[in-house]
Amino acid sequence: MAKVRKASGSSSSHSKSTAQGQSKLQKKKSLHPPPPAQRGGVELVDPLVQAQLKLYDEALALFHQQKFARAKQGLEKVLEGPSKELVDRARMHLRITEQRMKPSSEENPRTADDHYQRGVAMMNIGRWDDARESLLKARKASPKADYIHYALAALDCLTGEADSALANLKVAIELRAENRFHARNDEDFAFLQEDPRFTELLYPEKDGAAG
């Protein structure tokens, strides 16, 4: 009579080794690859993203130079790129650019808001004296309007008047605390970025921490 053979241990050892190999593969798969290079949250691996970022930088430079028509063209090209992050940023600057390209339709301003709107329009096309005249009239008509003081502060920055800019911005913040946070991200205040008085005004909590 033929003897019944017991199952050899080779199959079980083979299954164990297979399971171990699979677990090793799973461990390898679970290891995350190193994150791609980024700048400001934008991935730079894709050459199309790199090209989009270059367009964005060029358009932003034109925006800061107040060359709004050319900046608008560049920002519209950025919208065609693959990075959603850059598209969102470009769309935000595009809205601001289009606003600054609009001339004032109010030829004979009467109210404080009329003078304010005209002043901002003049400021956006580089007519500093006309802008200041209108904004001063607006402030005289409505001295408690924080946005008028804020606009005057921005105008002072654009014309290199640091002391006046800080004084107007201080009043704008006293009238409405949110202006402190707006000014932190407002390109119009780039002139004051290196001024310690500007830092103290916008980041008072740092002074408290230091004290």
Side-chain angles (χ1 to χ4, degrees):
M1 181 182 289
K3 293 182 180 179
V4 178
R5 293 182 181 179
K6 293 182 180 180
S8 66
S10 60
S11 60
S12 61
S13 62
H14 175 71
S15 61
K16 284 181 183 177
S17 62
T18 304
Q20 288 173 353
Q22 287 176 346
S23 66
K24 286 180 181 178
L25 285 173
Q26 287 173 352
K27 286 180 181 178
K28 286 182 180 178
K29 286 180 181 178
S30 66
L31 293 175
H32 296 292
Q38 294 189 350
R39 200 192 90 181
V42 178
E43 292 188 8
L44 300 179
V45 175
D46 190 337
L48 293 176
V49 174
Q50 291 177 338
Q52 184 186 12
L53 181 61
K54 184 180 177 184
L55 283 171
Y56 176 76
D57 287 340
E58 291 171 353
L60 208 58
L62 292 167
F63 175 86
H64 291 317
Q65 295 164 20
Q66 299 187 38
K67 297 175 181 177
F68 297 124
R70 290 175 59 194
K72 182 174 184 290
Q73 292 175 351
L75 290 167
E76 286 172 341
K77 290 179 182 177
V78 176
L79 297 180
E80 300 170 4
S83 170
K84 183 179 182 300
E85 177 77 20
L86 287 173
V87 167
D88 290 342
R89 294 185 198 176
R91 191 174 286 119
M92 178 189 71
H93 279 94
L94 189 58
R95 283 198 297 268
I96 299 171
T97 299
E98 289 171 344
Q99 288 172 1
R100 296 192 176 187
M101 290 175 69
K102 290 178 182 177
S104 175
S105 59
E106 180 61 64
E107 295 299 330
N108 298 301
R110 296 176 184 176
T111 67
D113 274 351
D114 288 344
H115 286 296
Y116 166 76
Q117 294 291 347
R118 184 178 186 278
V120 171
M122 293 298 102
M123 184 167 64
N124 290 337
I125 59 176
R127 289 171 57 177
W128 311 130
D129 291 340
D130 290 336
R132 190 175 302 281
E133 180 184 356
S134 292
L135 290 175
L136 288 174
K137 287 179 179 178
R139 185 176 67 179
K140 184 178 180 180
S142 184
K144 297 294 184 183
D146 65 280
Y147 55 90
I148 295 173
H149 292 276
Y150 186 94
L152 276 166
L155 176 61
D156 288 334
C157 274
L158 294 171
T159 55
E161 303 289 337
D163 292 342
S164 181
L166 288 164
N168 279 311
L169 185 56
K170 185 173 185 291
V171 174
I173 291 171
E174 288 172 351
L175 290 169
R176 186 168 179 264
E178 287 84 350
N179 285 317
R180 174 177 285 117
F181 305 106
H182 295 322
R184 291 178 182 179
N185 300 307
D186 194 333
E187 294 93 345
D188 287 342
F189 292 103
F191 175 69
L192 292 176
Q193 289 297 326
E194 302 301 322
D195 193 318
R197 297 172 297 172
F198 182 67
T199 304
E200 291 170 7
L201 186 59
L202 295 194
Y203 300 92
E205 65 274 10
K206 289 186 178 180
D207 273 357

